[in-house]
Amino acid sequence: MSQGPEVLIPTSAAEAVELFGTGADTAVVGGGTILIPMLRLSDARPARALMLHHAGLAGISETGGRLTIGAMTPLNHLAAMADPIAACVAHIADLEIRGQATLGGNLCARNTDAPRGDLQGAMIALGASVRSVGAGGERTEPAEEFLANRDDRLVLDVSFELPAAGAYAYLDRAHTHEYTALAVSAVRTSDGAIRLGANGAGPHGLRLPSAEAAASDHAAAGSAALADVALFDDAIASAWYREKTLPVLVRRALDQLKEAA
Amino acid sequence: MSLNITVNGASRTVNAEPLTPLLHVLREELDVLSPKAGCQNGGCGTCTVLVDGEPRRSCLLPIAAVEGAEIRTVEGLAPPGQLSPLQEAWIHHYAAQCGFCTGGFLMAATAYLENGGSDDHTEIAKALGGHVCRCTGYVKILDAVSAAARGDSFDLTTTAAGLHTTLKGVDQ
């Protein structure tokens, strides 16, 4: 990496925020599982790389039924949480990668050549808030809004209320190194509302409002979900295949949610 | 930058750019050659080492992220000239063919066993799911880890005489 970026290694969250600034031409190194190969193998040449390993952004805290998870928290620390998180995490990469990859990185992962960022749909279904900094200062916003407008943002943490129940329906992978082509997360909130999020159905995780509105009829919700997505072809699955399977996954997620305590 | 890591019990000071993968520091600066540079993309498992006891892909880990950490590789599994019980099981069950994946498998399986992993093949397969063996040796690998989990003991002078002699030759 002789022509690599200038590497910044903040030792506190405040320093990380200050060094990130507006995020211009800055690559954020979370776990590094995407970025390290990208810097080596692609033609990406960011001017600066902000390494967060010593910035104190990892950790999980709970206050009054609300969880806050630091951006640098590795995915394996989420493995014992309630569904849809646990089931989702169990289908991300493999044991070693889950120990290194982070929640913040997962929320920032792009569908450049694969449907990355499996937890995006789960966070949307949970009604999670994402706190980030960048140009214009700090923002705290619903996950779906963050995902639609996340260029040059540094994620600090994610918080959500513990759900009454959750479920995760997915297309299984041929191997741990395959990406999940399509998945649906379903959550029943503490006040009884049903929320649905999908992965692999658009440029990032998407909420499924039409399916939520039809959620009392699981099959109808499945069909309705097609109005909420932007299906695409990639090396793992065709848009045609995703169109055939999305209604099934929505129905299965709602079936599971009904069964869940 | 200059930083310290512990490799197989020995404290080492290394000079490297902060984003250099641990794999390259181990192989090129420290001459620790058991972690292999396979896909270098996190997808094959052969670079796996233990970082503070947990298996990690050394090809994906920036060296600055493991400052002060304790790294273990195959070289540290047993004293020179000796084998760990897992390595003995590996030989007994012919779990290595070409051997390129073996180091990564051994480290992940060592972590699995140290965490109290059982001899159940499904559990072992979950723990080793990120590792690829292109000689199609998975059944033998599962057998070997299973045997080590049970604490099976072997007389390698009779069960795998030829292979053991070869290894002894390498050691000497």
Side-chain angles (χ1 to χ4, degrees):
Chain A
M1 288 189 197
S2 51
Q3 291 181 314
E6 178 195 0
V7 181
L8 310 168
I9 310 180
T11 54
S12 72
E15 193 188 354
V17 170
E18 190 188 324
L19 288 173
F20 183 75
T22 62
D25 208 7
T26 302
V28 177
V29 186
T33 57
I34 294 172
L35 204 82
I36 295 299
M38 193 187 86
L39 288 175
R40 208 167 42 75
L41 301 172
S42 82
D43 55 6
R45 294 286 178 271
R48 309 189 310 158
L50 183 70
M51 271 193 82
L52 298 177
H53 294 78
H54 305 291
L57 287 170
I60 303 172
S61 60
E62 187 184 342
T63 323
R66 194 169 178 87
L67 277 187
T68 300
I69 306 174
M72 281 295 286
T73 306
L75 300 184
N76 63 351
H77 289 201
L78 313 180
M81 288 185 171
D83 286 337
I85 296 179
C88 178
V89 166
H91 292 89
I92 297 174
D94 59 45
L95 193 75
E96 289 91 338
I97 304 288
R98 290 196 291 273
Q100 185 180 342
T102 63
L103 176 59
N106 203 274
L107 286 173
C108 293
R110 309 257 165 190
N111 284 4
T112 44
D113 51 3
R116 296 194 164 104
D118 299 65
L119 279 163
Q120 294 171 8
M123 289 299 147
I124 289 170
L126 286 161
S129 295
V130 178
R131 191 165 67 99
S132 69
V133 292
E138 186 174 310
R139 291 198 322 235
T140 300
E141 61 202 323
E144 58 266 39
E145 288 176 23
F146 169 78
L147 289 166
N149 186 19
R150 60 184 166 156
D151 286 348
D152 296 336
R153 302 300 296 177
L154 173 67
V155 177
L156 298 177
D157 56 41
V158 179
S159 60
F160 52 87
E161 251 180 56
L162 289 168
Y168 184 71
Y170 55 92
L171 296 179
D172 211 353
R173 305 174 296 165
H175 189 271
T176 60
H177 294 140
E178 196 61 274
Y179 284 89
T180 298
L182 186 65
V184 173
S185 295
V187 163
R188 186 162 62 244
T189 64
S190 56
D191 56 11
I194 290 186
R195 294 179 56 98
L196 294 163
N199 259 91
H204 44 70
L206 292 175
R207 192 171 174 187
L208 305 177
S210 307
E212 288 174 6
S216 56
D217 179 335
H218 297 184
S223 306
L226 291 170
D228 298 328
V229 294
L231 302 176
F232 57 92
D233 291 318
D234 64 11
I236 299 174
S238 62
W240 179 89
Y241 186 66
R242 289 182 160 100
E243 186 185 329
K244 301 298 171 200
T245 48
L246 178 68
V248 178
L249 295 182
V250 168
R251 176 171 54 74
R252 283 184 192 163
L254 288 169
D255 288 350
Q256 284 175 36
L257 192 66
K258 199 173 177 182
E259 298 291 314
Chain B
M1 68 187 291
S2 171
L3 51 84
N4 289 304
I5 54 175
T6 301
V7 180
N8 296 321
S11 179
R12 309 291 296 260
T13 302
V14 297
N15 281 295
E17 292 298 315
L19 294 181
T20 310
L22 171 63
L23 172 69
H24 299 304
V25 173
L26 289 171
R27 290 185 60 84
E28 290 156 27
E29 280 211 40
L30 300 178
D31 209 26
V32 175
L33 299 177
S34 70
K36 303 297 181 205
C39 74
Q40 298 189 68
N41 208 0
C44 77
T46 193
C47 69
T48 301
V49 301
L50 301 190
V51 177
D52 293 331
E54 291 193 42
R56 290 287 181 272
R57 293 282 136 68
S58 64
C59 74
L60 295 179
L61 263 181
I63 187 70
V66 295
E67 182 168 10
E70 189 176 316
I71 314 295
R72 285 167 67 199
T73 68
V74 170
E75 287 85 345
L77 284 180
Q82 295 178 44
L83 298 170
S84 74
L86 175 66
Q87 288 172 300
E88 291 188 354
W90 221 266
I91 291 171
H92 178 83
H93 284 281
Y94 291 96
Q97 288 190 51
C98 86
F100 196 81
C101 70
T102 303
F105 266 107
L106 283 171
M107 297 319 293
T110 295
Y112 171 77
L113 295 171
E114 287 179 354
N115 286 325
S118 77
D119 64 351
D120 180 73
H121 278 203
T122 306
E123 289 303 309
I124 297 168
K126 264 192 215 167
L128 303 183
H131 294 255
V132 174
C133 167
R134 287 286 89 121
C135 303
T136 72
Y138 295 117
V139 171
K140 299 294 188 187
I141 289 168
L142 290 171
D143 287 345
V145 180
S146 202
R150 284 191 303 271
D152 293 359
S153 58
F154 314 103
D155 180 359
L156 295 183
T157 57
T158 57
T159 56
L163 188 52
H164 189 55
T165 306
T166 306
L167 280 177
K168 269 186 148 173
V170 171
D171 288 343
Q172 288 155 5

